[in-house]
Amino acid sequence: MKPSVLFDLSGSVAIVTGGARGLGKIIALALADAGADVVIADILTSLAEDVVKEIEARGNRALGVKLDVTSVNDVQEMVEKVSNHFGRIDILINNAGIQCISAAEDFALEDWNRVVNINLSGVFLCTQAVGKIMITQKKGKIINISSLFGTIGSPHGAAAYNSSKGGVINLTKSLAVEWGKYNINVNAIAPGIIETELTRKRLEDKEYLDLWIDRTPLERIGKPEDLSGAVIYLSSGASDFVTGHTIMIDGGYSVQ
Ligand code: NAP
């Protein structure tokens, strides 16, 4: 099959959680460029509507949905709205996530729970609800956005974040094994540090930035667009025999 056909997402419907800005927005635009119709599901509804307009301007169908990934009601309503509007769900990108920095010895349980609820339980809730549709379709692609820090520790007070992202990698493997029989591929992407709202403040610290660049074989930090190729690959027929895998997009940070 020609690469242009193998990676073509025309006729597919994709949901991107946290798609209003940052990595989610770039992922949504990449999916649209590959031919998909895209649902932008985010807490930030006005920014989500801006992304919807950008996608429609490209000639694709798009829908904005208000979603807090920790709310069972929101998740259920999202699945109903998308199913009613598009009639199917082919791709789910679990991208919404937050960071909270505090020394482990002082980490407030409330903050720990907020991070784990959004970054891990939120991924499970969305995957469970969308997975039910994909099971009836006998087809689906689920891509979880984990992190390099789901595979290693760090000294920056990110124990909750790192633990939640490690959980996402094993959730990916577990669901890949459980849902393989339904022809559902479940994979993850683990980015290194990428410049977005989430990281902008820390990257203003030149010492921190230089340390990252020093330790990264490709000698730079990531751009949101660095994720696009892996997202299209894992969303398309090109990855039909790949499941339970995590693609590191970290400039080689993790291999040394
Ligand atoms: P971002 O710029 O902060 O964007 C995250 C988006 O998710 C925001 O629109 C945010 O809305 C939304 N969101 C937060 N909580 C939500 C909830 N409960 N329900 C629905 N939407 C919610 O972050 P990003 O850098 O693009 O990160 C996207 C994903 O990549 C995250 O899972 C992050 O952990 C992961 N990641 C990022 C990096 C990096 O270096 N940037 C590296 C590795 C992994 P609000 O602004 O209202 O919170």
Side-chain angles (χ1 to χ4, degrees):
M1 205 182 286
K2 284 186 182 170
S4 56
V5 176
L6 210 48
F7 294 96
D8 185 9
L9 300 181
S10 302
S12 299
V13 175
I15 298 175
V16 183
T17 72
R21 68 173 198 194
L23 300 184
K25 175 179 174 178
I26 297 301
I27 288 169
L29 295 177
L31 290 166
D33 284 340
D37 296 323
V38 187
V39 178
I40 307 298
D42 203 300
I43 282 189
L44 299 168
T45 43
S46 67
L47 282 183
E49 283 311 319
D50 293 344
V51 183
V52 164
K53 284 187 195 129
E54 273 193 59
I55 292 172
E56 286 173 341
R58 284 162 149 82
N60 305 59
R61 294 186 298 167
L63 181 70
V65 177
K66 188 200 151 287
L67 171 75
D68 174 350
V69 293
T70 66
S71 158
V72 177
N73 278 348
D74 276 13
V75 172
Q76 205 44 54
E77 275 181 25
M78 171 188 75
V79 170
E80 279 164 24
K81 272 187 199 155
V82 177
S83 300
N84 291 339
H85 195 83
F86 291 113
R88 55 184 302 107
I89 306 173
D90 302 284
I91 300 159
L92 170 65
I93 315 285
N94 282 307
N95 164 78
I98 61 162
Q99 170 66 287
C100 180
I101 300 287
S102 171
E105 60 275 24
D106 297 323
F107 220 106
L109 182 60
E110 195 187 326
D111 290 336
W112 173 279
N113 286 340
R114 199 161 55 88
V115 172
V116 174
N117 275 341
I118 293 176
N119 293 5
L120 179 57
S121 306
V123 171
F124 177 67
L125 273 181
C126 293
T127 301
Q128 186 184 47
V130 173
K132 283 181 185 159
I133 304 283
M134 290 177 169
I135 287 171
T136 63
Q137 294 173 176
K138 281 260 181 323
K139 192 174 189 310
K141 302 271 188 178
I142 297 170
I143 298 149
N144 299 324
I145 306 301
S146 175
S147 167
L148 163 65
F149 289 110
T151 65
I152 57 174
S154 64
H156 303 111
Y161 181 85
N162 299 351
S163 305
S164 69
K165 293 298 183 177
V168 166
I169 290 176
N170 211 308
L171 178 62
T172 301
K173 291 179 186 174
S174 301
L175 295 180
V177 174
E178 216 172 312
W179 288 354
K181 62 181 177 236
Y182 301 124
N183 192 31
I184 298 173
N185 304 66
V186 190
N187 289 292
I189 290 175
I193 198 135
I194 317 272
E195 194 177 344
T196 66
E197 281 308 309
L198 192 79
T199 54
R200 190 152 294 138
K201 225 179 166 47
R202 273 182 298 152
L203 290 173
E204 279 166 10
D205 176 350
K206 190 165 175 341
E207 215 176 297
Y208 179 82
L209 174 65
D210 287 346
L211 195 69
W212 265 98
I213 294 173
D214 264 9
R215 289 188 185 171
T216 303
L218 288 176
E219 296 183 343
R220 66 173 175 87
I221 58 160
K223 307 183 292 283
E225 290 76 8
D226 287 321
L227 269 62
S228 302
V231 168
I232 301 305
Y233 169 65
L234 292 176
S235 299
S236 71
S239 61
D240 276 353
F241 201 49
V242 178
T243 198
H245 188 67
T246 297
I247 298 183
M248 308 300 297
I249 302 189
D250 63 354
Y253 189 104
S254 55
V255 297
Q256 55 190 333

